[in-house]
Amino acid sequence: MAAAEPSTGWVRAAAALLLGCCGTALSSSVQDQAEQFFRSGHTNNWAVLVCTSRFWFNYRHVANTLSVYRSVKRLGIPDSHIVLMLADDMACNPRNPKPATVFSHKNMELNVYGDDVEVDYRSYEVTVENFLRVLTGRIPPSTPRSKRLLSDDRSNILIYMTGHGGNGFLKFQDSEEITNVELADAFEQMWQKRRYNELLFIIDTCQGASMYERFYSPNIMALASSQVGEDSLSHQPDLGIGVHLMDRYTFYVLEFLEEIHPASQTNMNDLFQVCPKSLCVSTPGHRTDLFRRDPQNVLITDFFGSVRKVEITRETISLDRNIAGYESKLPKDELAREPRKYAEQLPVARIIHQKPKQKDWHPPGGFILGLWALIIMVFFKTYGIKHMKHIF
Amino acid sequence: MLALAVPLLLLAAAGRGRAAAAGPGRDALREELLLSPLPAGDVAATFQFRTRWDADLPRGAVSHYRLFPKALGRLVAALGVRELHLALTQGFWRTQAWGQPPLQAPAGAELWVWFQPSVTDVDKAWKELSNILSGIFCASLNFIDATNTVTPTASFKPLGLANGTDHHLLRYAVLPREVVCTENLTPWKKLLPCGSKAGLAVLLKAERLFHSSYHSQAVHIRPICRDASCLAVSWELRQTLTVVFDTFSSGQGKKDWSLFKMFSRTLTDACPLASQSKVYVDISPKNKEKELLEVTPLPTSVYEAIVQGDKRSYAVYDLLSPSLFNTSRSLNVQFKWKRPEDSSEMPIPVLHAQRYVSGYGLQTGEISTLIYNTHPYRAFPVILLETVPWYLRLYVHTLTIITKGKENKPSYIHYQPAQDRRQPHLLEMLIQLPANSVTKISIQFERALLKWTEYPPDPNHGFYVGSSVLSALVPSIIAMKDMDVEESPLFTSLFPSSDGSSYFVRLYTEPLLVNLPTPDFSMPYNVICLTCTVVAVCYGSFYNLLTRTFHVEEPSRGGLAKWLANIIRKFRGVPPL
């Protein structure tokens, strides 16, 4: 039986090993399923970045928006999926001592404007109406694609707003406001039309928390730089440029985002702690009760980065070498019978003798008609109908 | 290995051959940079990128785009555009100080388009076109609407091939308030076949280009003759960028320039897709003396031509010639002024103009234009086109044109009055300018009060009046020969020339900034507060008086406290309450 024991021992060991493998395989698939539940399930990312302030002394708001734009582009969202609205032009402002630059750090360390920026809504186009139309999708048909938010029900949208605000409103360009009720209704319209999967709303203004108080649509997470009754403060002035360059909250958010790369696993809880009261002076707030998932499981790149589907293939694809055959199929150009010529740039004789085109004749209306009717009536009243034959 | 090498060589040869000649259905790219020194030490750099495509865009179902950008090709085909000219400019070209510009554009955004005769609703196509272009170039061209669009009747004749010129197919609009910055340059660069990665476009860095006195970028699309017989049509796309660098802000006060100093980059190679890639430096001697400039490195050749009526010579660097990059990997063209500073012999341009607004107060004003003809003995006509927004109400009976003290009657005048909130004023005049004279054209206006919702968010900045356009055939000093378009440099072939005795020039005057009477926007709030307070106080008290009922009240007995107090008073011997 000494011979049988090692064989049964071997069989037992093999069985144990097999069971162990099955166990781990099963448990890994269960773990996969559990992870799937915690993942977002979005297929594309959009960003709407709005700066609402005009005038040179609000340089910091434009710098705020551009630093978020820069991070979002760096982490993978392309320009076609970013709607950038800047209410004034700081880079080429005549008061900017360094044209075509917008700096976020003092001593001009970081130029957030860069060389490859596409602003979709500029200066006077940034209005409450345009902003709400972009969000809800009710845009006039001739609007170009780069100005539209073409999101669907599997899109994660990041909305960042900055400017001057108060309790329950945000000021646009010093002439109009958007209230928190309007914003909440716009988000509800977006939810009803299934224009987002999940939405992250960040606002950096004074009393910013009042803007997210009224949200009632699901899957929205909101962050604000200050509570109701507090002011958001600016970070540091640059003596060369002469204005404050950034707001404190966005400055620390930018520093945090500079550490993130497209494959990071940092989650939202770290973003909530990014600016404690000692650094920010105001108390940043956040709201997650409308959000389905736990912020612990939400990656930063779910909103700031983008989904990339990469398929690696090893087979070679040959492009059509038959280009010559294709070109012969192009329609032959019509050759004119006589040579065409260029127009004369200043044909003086023809211009002088140009007759003005007669406008189409419209029958007289309104005042002129009434005047003539009055004159004719008075005439016939005075002189009687029998005189008509003398006139006609 | 030989078997591999032979097809590779064949392919290479075929590739190079293909790039050189443009057969039917083919497109070709030429790029060029012109550096011209200006008086007072400034330098103007003009880039031109020209893609010529031998295809009939509007007709054929073209779907294969190679060098010609697809966005613009589809635009031309879909909207029935015959010619398109869009210019975005920051700054103003000072003709008096800098001389005649090769190609000028007004401050802000300017768009003028000729449509094909087959387009039935030109206004609708115009609106769609401006919206699509605002998306492509990130500019607020969607603000172009009926209140700032005009239809000129004598200016802006087509620059390309034209069958007839029915001016109803032309639309012109200018947005003087438009800002030009990197976001307009980025999509412009993306339309170039090589992008900004190879060829001359590597020099286009926004930080240097916008730190300048004048920056203008333009896109021109027009049909041209395919060859000398002109029986077939090709489409041409020209992208031009003109920038003027100032001696003091970019040059640190010294009058020597180099590509590196201007653009902080040097040229390393030509665009591989270009059939021609050249740099021209204007070394024309002024006042017939020895040369003005000293140019290093040695140019590939020297080109002489008559440009804008005057004999000019250029040092040419051909980036496609193999000898250029023999000695060094990069080309940094440097030039220095030879003679010391001599400002007495600044050449005065033959035609230049100035415009200003005068008057006081916020009720009336006067717009005056001064046109100078400095030619010693030749007179020539000029067409002046003025577009004034509707809120400045022009009084045409105050229009006066005075030359040398006498009144000058225009040979042709077309005035289209404005309609409030619908159409701007259009004034077009053909004026004869006598030799060596100054012509002053002045017209008075009255300012309108806008509705309070029509004011922009910063109304105290003022309102802009777009530049007026002067088109003239200026007599040339030396007669110009007819040149073959394909052989001559690009900066000579933008305007089609009819005869050599004069050259066509289009100048723009300054835009004007006018203050309109601006209300105090806090007044509605103040009025509401005051009215409500007054109403509350007066009416409220009146209402109370009327509706309050009065009844007599019994004096109260006092109660427990009074009884206790009375007991204490009895003890003290004082009379009770």
Side-chain angles (χ1 to χ4, degrees):
Chain A
M1 298 306 105
E5 263 175 331
S7 64
T8 48
W10 175 82
V11 165
R12 230 177 275 138
L17 200 63
L18 205 62
L19 267 174
C21 288
C22 286
T24 48
L26 271 174
S27 68
S28 70
S29 76
V30 162
Q31 197 175 17
D32 267 348
Q33 276 179 9
E35 248 183 65
Q36 199 80 23
F37 181 71
F38 288 124
R39 268 194 232 129
S40 162
H42 66 282
T43 57
N44 54 73
N45 280 81
W46 287 81
V48 179
L49 310 173
V50 185
C51 160
T52 59
S53 317
R54 171 166 280 275
F55 304 122
W56 173 246
F57 51 83
N58 291 322
Y59 181 105
R60 59 188 188 279
H61 297 139
V62 173
N64 289 350
T65 319
L66 285 172
S67 47
V68 178
Y69 173 77
R70 178 204 142 79
S71 312
V72 147
K73 255 180 95 157
R74 194 177 50 85
L75 292 172
I77 303 188
D79 267 316
S80 53
H81 282 228
I82 303 178
V83 178
L84 178 61
M85 304 172 81
L86 296 180
D88 200 0
D89 166 59
M90 299 302 168
C92 290
N93 197 310
R95 288 163 104 162
N96 193 346
K98 292 214 150 231
T101 57
V102 174
F103 292 107
S104 61
H105 287 60
K106 141 173 104 165
N107 299 326
M108 303 182 196
E109 283 166 23
L110 180 60
N111 175 16
V112 288
Y113 197 56
D115 213 17
D116 185 21
V117 58
E118 286 185 19
V119 181
D120 302 304
Y121 285 85
R122 309 210 301 174
S123 68
Y124 298 124
E125 290 175 289
V126 179
T127 56
V128 175
E129 185 190 339
N130 280 350
F131 174 62
L132 291 177
R133 281 185 186 277
V134 163
L135 286 185
T136 55
R138 296 163 182 254
I139 291 193
S142 52
T143 318
R145 275 185 78 105
S146 58
K147 288 184 167 175
R148 292 181 190 239
L149 178 66
L150 297 165
S151 56
D152 52 24
D153 65 320
R154 292 275 121 217
S155 314
N156 274 12
I157 308 184
L158 164 71
I159 298 185
Y160 176 82
M161 302 183 74
T162 181
H164 288 291
N167 191 355
F169 67 92
L170 171 60
K171 185 168 74 155
F172 266 69
Q173 295 219 40
D174 211 26
S175 65
E176 45 181 6
E177 312 83 38
I178 184 172
T179 55
N180 48 4
V181 177
E182 282 174 6
L183 196 58
D185 287 343
F187 286 163
E188 176 64 13
Q189 274 197 49
M190 287 173 80
W191 175 252
Q192 303 268 347
K193 290 162 91 163
R194 295 290 181 268
R195 278 169 70 79
Y196 69 89
N197 175 32
E198 284 171 349
L199 201 126
L200 175 64
F201 176 75
I202 306 183
I203 184 159
D204 187 351
T205 62
C206 303
Q207 309 194 45
S210 61
M211 288 305 284
Y212 62 61
E213 273 172 357
R214 300 292 196 114
F215 292 166
Y216 54 95
S217 320
N219 286 356
I220 301 185
M221 191 186 309
L223 281 103
S225 60
S226 55
Q227 301 292 333
V228 175
E230 284 181 348
D231 286 338
S232 287
L233 302 177
S234 58
H235 186 70
Q236 52 184 335
D238 179 296
L239 297 175
I241 299 179
V243 282
H244 284 261
L245 295 182
M246 282 272 270
D247 278 332
R248 282 177 189 253
Y249 182 70
T250 312
F251 182 82
Y252 291 108
V253 168
L254 173 67
E255 281 199 355
F256 172 78
L257 288 175
E258 289 285 297
E259 317 268 310
I260 309 280
H261 55 89
S264 344
Q265 298 293 310
T266 339
N267 57 36
M268 278 295 168
N269 274 338
D270 301 323
L271 189 58
F272 294 157
Q273 318 300 334
V274 79
C275 197
K277 197 167 161 76
S278 56
L279 287 175
C280 252
V281 185
S282 56
T283 320
H286 54 91
R287 179 177 176 180
T288 51
D289 56 312
L290 294 167
F291 206 74
R292 183 173 38 99
R293 298 185 287 149
D294 187 7
Q296 181 86 18
N297 299 322
V298 180
L299 299 176
I300 299 284
T301 51
D302 276 352
F303 289 102
F304 286 89
S306 106
V307 175
R308 275 179 286 195
K309 283 212 177 317
V310 179
E311 267 185 44
I312 303 178
T313 172
R314 289 193 199 283
E315 48 178 80
T316 46
I317 301 172
S318 65
L319 298 169
D320 192 3
R321 290 193 173 275
N322 207 7
I323 288 286
Y326 170 75
E327 269 155 27
S328 62
K329 283 188 249 146
L330 282 173
K332 285 276 178 287
D333 296 321
E334 213 171 77
L335 286 179
R337 254 151 284 139
E338 50 191 51
R340 300 164 213 246
K341 37 188 188 14
Y342 292 101
E344 230 185 283
Q345 290 301 303
L346 198 63
V348 178
R350 230 185 311 147
I351 290 174
I352 292 176
H353 295 110
Q354 202 168 306
K355 278 201 203 354
K357 177 145 168 113
Q358 294 293 349
K359 271 210 193 142
D360 300 327
W361 184 81
H362 297 286
F367 179 71
I368 302 286
L369 193 64
L371 189 67
W372 276 107
L374 183 68
I375 290 170
I376 291 176
M377 202 179 69
V378 165
F379 180 81
F380 284 120
K381 202 81 164 76
T382 326
Y383 293 107
I385 272 298
K386 64 182 192 294
H387 285 274
M388 210 153 72
K389 62 175 190 293
H390 294 291
I391 300 135
F392 295 107
Chain B
M1 206 171 71
L2 259 177
L4 274 175
V6 167
L8 273 174
L9 276 170
L10 276 175
L11 259 175
R16 224 181 299 131
R18 224 179 287 159
R26 284 291 186 185
D27 37 20
L29 170 71
R30 282 174 62 181
E31 53 178 24
E32 166 187 297
L33 165 62
L34 168 67
L35 297 166
S36 7
L38 303 170
D42 305 331
V43 65
T46 308
F47 290 83
Q48 282 207 40
F49 300 91
R50 180 231 199 196
T51 306
R52 201 191 90 183
W53 196 16
D54 297 329
D56 200 1
L57 261 178
R59 226 177 38 92
V62 186
S63 57
H64 177 63
Y65 289 86
R66 202 174 135 252
L67 296 178
F68 202 96
K70 182 172 173 181
L72 295 179
R74 300 241 334 234
L75 190 68
V76 167
L79 291 175
V81 168
R82 191 167 78 192
E83 254 188 58
L84 184 140
H85 302 270
L86 168 67
L88 295 162
T89 313
Q90 177 204 60
F92 180 69
W93 181 276
R94 298 179 197 132
T95 315
Q96 207 164 353
W98 294 342
Q100 214 85 280
L103 184 65
Q104 195 187 357
E110 183 205 35
L111 176 66
W112 60 280
V113 175
W114 275 91
F115 287 94
Q116 302 276 4
S118 57
V119 174
T120 43
D121 193 349
V122 180
D123 288 315
K124 185 158 157 296
W126 169 252
K127 188 82 186 116
E128 265 190 59
L129 179 68
S130 44
N131 275 323
I132 295 175
L133 287 174
S134 86
I136 296 178
F137 291 101
C138 290
S140 332
L141 298 175
N142 48 323
F143 284 138
I144 291 178
D145 55 6
T147 57
N148 45 30
T149 307
V150 291
T151 306
T153 54
S155 323
F156 291 105
K157 297 274 184 221
L159 289 178
L161 292 174
N163 264 343
T165 53
D166 182 6
H167 276 264
H168 283 90
L169 300 168
L170 168 65
R171 292 288 183 272
Y172 173 78
V174 68
L175 294 172
R177 185 69 167 111
E178 192 63 24
V179 173
V180 181
C181 208
T182 313
E183 66 251 22
N184 304 113
L185 185 65
T186 308
W188 188 93
K189 281 197 288 191
K190 286 186 182 159
L191 292 175
L192 296 172
C194 278
S196 54
K197 300 197 171 40
L200 294 175
V202 295
L203 299 175
L204 299 174
K205 290 295 161 199
E207 281 180 11
R208 305 294 301 167
L209 289 179
F210 288 101
H211 197 51
S212 56
S213 314
Y214 175 79
H215 171 103
S216 171
Q217 60 197 58
V219 170
H220 303 276
I221 302 178
R222 59 175 179 165
I224 55 169
C225 295
R226 194 174 296 188
D227 46 27
S229 64
C230 211
L231 289 169
V233 172
S234 295
W235 282 81
E236 178 194 77
L237 165 70
R238 269 189 206 234
Q239 289 181 255
T240 63
L241 193 143
T242 309
V243 63
V244 173
F245 292 104
D246 190 68
T247 332
F248 293 102
S249 55
S250 320
Q252 287 115 38
K254 291 199 276 282
K255 280 160 86 164
D256 54 352
W257 293 97
S258 68
L259 282 183
F260 188 75
K261 195 172 175 187
M262 290 193 276
F263 302 106
S264 66
R265 294 280 187 293
T266 54
L267 292 168
T268 46
D269 58 353
C271 173
L273 298 168
S275 59
Q276 206 184 91
S277 179
K278 291 192 177 161
V279 177
Y280 290 85
V281 183
D282 187 352
I283 51 174
S284 320
K286 302 275 189 293
N287 281 0
K288 316 266 187 300
E289 284 176 29
K290 60 183 184 331
E291 274 157 17
L292 181 67
L293 290 185
E294 183 187 298
V295 183
T296 50
L298 267 160
T300 332
S301 58
V302 174
Y303 176 76
E304 300 207 349
I306 300 171
V307 172
Q308 288 189 340
D310 205 358
K311 197 160 180 326
R312 302 258 178 101
S313 51
Y314 299 90
V316 183
Y317 296 86
D318 190 351
L319 292 170
L320 285 173
S321 80
S323 61
L324 194 68
F325 292 108
N326 267 350
T327 42
S328 67
R329 295 271 301 282
S330 72
L331 170 67
N332 184 16
V333 176
Q334 295 167 345
F335 47 96
K336 211 188 306 215
W337 263 248
K338 270 204 216 160
R339 255 171 300 150
E341 204 173 305
D342 196 351
S343 57
S344 61
E345 31 94 5
M346 266 199 290
I348 304 175
V350 178
L351 173 70
H352 62 276
Q354 228 185 326
R355 189 171 71 152
Y356 55 91
V357 69
S358 50
Y360 59 91
L362 289 173
Q363 169 89 12
T364 51
E366 184 179 9
I367 297 179
S368 308
T369 313
L370 293 170
I371 309 180
Y372 298 83
N373 174 6
T374 57
H375 203 282
Y377 51 86
R378 291 280 299 270
F380 53 87
V382 67
I383 296 185
L384 173 70
L385 171 78
E386 277 210 44
T387 311
V388 178
W390 64 267
Y391 39 82
L392 298 182
R393 304 208 168 103
L394 295 180
Y395 289 120
V396 187
H397 73 278
T398 56
L399 174 68
T400 53
I401 309 174
I402 298 183
T403 312
K404 288 184 180 171
K406 290 194 308 257
E407 201 192 312
N408 185 353
K409 199 156 148 24
S411 329
Y412 169 80
I413 181 164
H414 172 80
Y415 174 64
Q416 190 166 26
Q419 288 179 1
D420 274 7
R421 299 175 184 87
R422 265 192 275 164
Q423 235 186 19
H425 295 274
L426 171 65
L427 182 61
E428 250 183 303
M429 296 185 288
L430 178 68
I431 305 167
Q432 274 300 89
L433 300 178
N436 212 2
S437 64
V438 179
T439 306
K440 179 168 178 190
I441 303 150
S442 52
I443 184 166
Q444 289 178 7
F445 65 86
E446 182 191 63
R447 300 170 214 228
L449 188 66
L450 300 176
K451 296 184 185 166
W452 77 297
T453 46
E454 290 175 343
Y455 286 94
D458 52 352
N460 290 300
H461 179 90
F463 291 76
Y464 283 90
V465 179
S467 314
S468 40
V469 190
L470 291 148
S471 323
L473 278 173
V474 180
S476 35
I477 300 170
I478 305 175
M480 295 185 295
K481 298 184 286 283
D482 219 0
M483 291 179 293
D484 181 19
V485 175
E486 292 304 314
E487 300 303 312
S488 51
L490 291 173
F491 58 84
T492 55
S493 57
L494 185 60
F495 294 113
S497 54
S498 44
D499 67 70
S501 62
S502 54
Y503 60 95
F504 181 73
V505 77
R506 190 174 282 139
L507 287 182
Y508 295 87
T509 60
E510 296 93 331
L512 303 172
L513 188 59
V514 169
N515 261 321
L516 287 185
T518 310
D520 181 358
F521 293 101
S522 62
M523 275 317 280
Y525 168 74
N526 294 342
V527 167
I528 292 172
C529 280
L530 186 66
T531 314
C532 290
T533 310
V534 165
V535 165
V537 169
C538 295
Y539 176 71
S541 29
F542 198 60
Y543 175 80
N544 277 334
L545 273 175
L546 286 178
T547 55
R548 206 171 277 170
T549 56
F550 294 96
H551 53 265
V552 181
E553 212 178 76
E554 296 287 316
S556 63
R557 287 287 174 150
L560 183 67
K562 193 164 168 201
W563 180 74
L564 273 174
N566 280 337
I567 291 173
I568 296 171
R569 284 179 101 111
K570 203 155 60 163
F571 278 129
R572 283 169 65 197
V574 171
L577 288 169

